[in-house]
């Protein structure tokens, strides 16, 4: 039995978790950076991470109920993500690994989202829809990698919702995500206003949808609740269509929904009914493990470490555009997990 400390810092969240080699999550502490206005500025977010790193690490270790000397391996989110944010997490990870004299493991952030979902939901081989502020990916395991069946060609669906919310003048109170504010408004709307639905092959585009929704908003002719409703219906139908085709193609028995946008009840319900039409089971990752979190990095660190995938400090550079389908996941094939 060993413990892995995992550090997540790809974008606005700095988070640290501890996982055991047996798949127990011992702690998962998340500190979110909320910009006073506008979107995430990478350097501002990194400054937040630097400020909170010490206390988040200490809290994660103390909540896990272990001593730092019991940590056998340190994992960090190596990419993809925002440069200054990634570098901050990597620096913290290198310092701790060096200080404790333990190996370092670089984890692909997107792989970690899938692995924690498989662990927590107890699902072996799903088609995964990963939707967040920075990513929109439909993926499944095939031939040694998590293959990307469909993805966004421009902005992520979470980003589309966030930017629209800001343009509509919505305010984030108590750190409530913009996507959740859109969801609340949408539940009060009900008249569908046509918006561009863009699926090209298996890929999706959300920027035209955002522009069109923004233009309708600016025209002042429509109810904001109806616009939010229509934005959700359009974007989520696109996601469901692509996930459905990946499911039909791979003939897998499970659909897994993760990422920050997974919290959305309307998206969940569309995917649930689609999955049931295909005789597949639908799983949604609980919020604290669906958002960017350190526990997923710690758990994926465990899997990688079991396969000997450690990283010498001098080669532990961050990888801003490290694609999901370029990351080796040898533990899947070997049946370790
Ligand atoms: P992440 O990038 O995984 O940290 O997730 C953040 C994204 O999730 C942001 O774009 C949020 O607006 C979005 N989000 C959070 N809650 C909801 C919700 N209930 N509905 C839609 N999007 C949401
Ligand atoms: Mg985030």
């Amino acid at each position: 039995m060993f413990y892995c400390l995992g550090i997540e810092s790809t974008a606005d969240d700095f988070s640290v978790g501890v996982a055991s080699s047996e798949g127990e999550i011992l702690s998962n502490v998340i500190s979110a950076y909320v910009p006073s206005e506008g979107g995430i500025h990478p350097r501002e977010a990194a400054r937040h991470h630097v400020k909170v790193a010490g206390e988040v690490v200490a809290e994660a270790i103390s909540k896990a109920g272990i001593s730092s000397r019991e940590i056998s391996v340190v994992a960090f989110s190596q990419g993809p993500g925002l440069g200054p944010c990634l570098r901050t997490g990597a620096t913290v990870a290198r310092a701790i690994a060096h200080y404790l004299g333990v190996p370092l493991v670089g984890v692909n952030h997107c792989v970690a989202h899938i692995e924690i979902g498989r662990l927590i939901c107890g699902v072996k081989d799903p088609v995964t829809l990963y939707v967040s502020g920075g990513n929109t990916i439909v993926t499944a395991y095939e031939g040694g990698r998590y293959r990307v069946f469909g993805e966004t060609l421009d902005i992520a669906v979470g980003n589309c919702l966030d930017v629209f919310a800001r343009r509509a003048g919505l305010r984030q109170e108590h750190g409530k995500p913009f996507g959740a504010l859109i969801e609340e408004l949408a539940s009060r709307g009900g008249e569908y206003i046509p918006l561009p639905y863009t699926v090209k092959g298996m890929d999706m585009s959300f920027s035209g949808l955002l522009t069109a929704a923004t233009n309708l908003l600016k025209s002042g002719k429509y109810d904001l609740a109806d616009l939010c409703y229509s934005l959700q219906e359009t974007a989520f139908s696109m996601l469901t269509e692509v996930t459905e085709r990946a499911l039909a193609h791979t003939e897998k028995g499970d659909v897994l929904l993760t990422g920050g946008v997974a919290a959305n009840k309307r998206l969940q319900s569309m995917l649930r009914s689609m999955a049931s039409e295909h005789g597949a089971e639908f799983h949604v990752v609980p919020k604290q493990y669906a958002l960017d979190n350190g526990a997923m990095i710690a758990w994926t660190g465990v899997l990688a470490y079991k396969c000997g995938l450690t990283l010498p400090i001098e080669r532990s550079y961050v990888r801003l555009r490290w694609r999901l389908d370029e990351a080796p996941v040898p533990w899947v094939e070997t049946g370790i997990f």
Side-chain angles (χ1 to χ4, degrees), residues 75-90:
F76 71 104
S77 228
Q78 200 179 357
L82 307 171
C85 302
L86 284 170
R87 276 177 218 115
T88 303

Side-chain angles (χ1 to χ4, degrees), residues 273-292:
S273 54
M274 179 278 286
S276 93
E277 278 170 30
H278 288 261
E281 241 187 273
F282 174 69
H283 314 260
V284 56
V285 178
K287 216 181 199 163
Q288 74 268 35
Y289 298 118
L291 287 166
D292 292 343

Side-chain angles (χ1 to χ4, degrees), residues 108-177:
N108 179 289
H109 174 87
C110 307
V111 167
H113 271 290
I114 303 169
E115 295 308 342
I116 195 78
R118 293 207 298 137
L119 174 74
I120 299 289
C121 297
V123 44
K124 262 205 124 50
D125 186 23
V127 167
T128 301
L129 173 61
Y130 162 36
V131 273
S132 71
N135 289 286
T136 304
I137 297 176
V138 177
T139 175
Y141 183 79
E142 243 179 44
R145 296 284 159 112
Y146 284 116
R147 303 288 163 187
V148 175
F149 283 90
E151 63 191 322
T152 180
L153 296 168
D154 40 56
I155 57 172
V157 63
N159 191 230
C160 172
L161 299 175
D162 294 349
V163 173
F164 181 76
R166 264 189 258 120
R167 289 180 182 167
L170 302 183
R171 290 249 149 239
Q172 264 184 310
E173 278 155 35
H174 316 293
K176 199 172 204 180

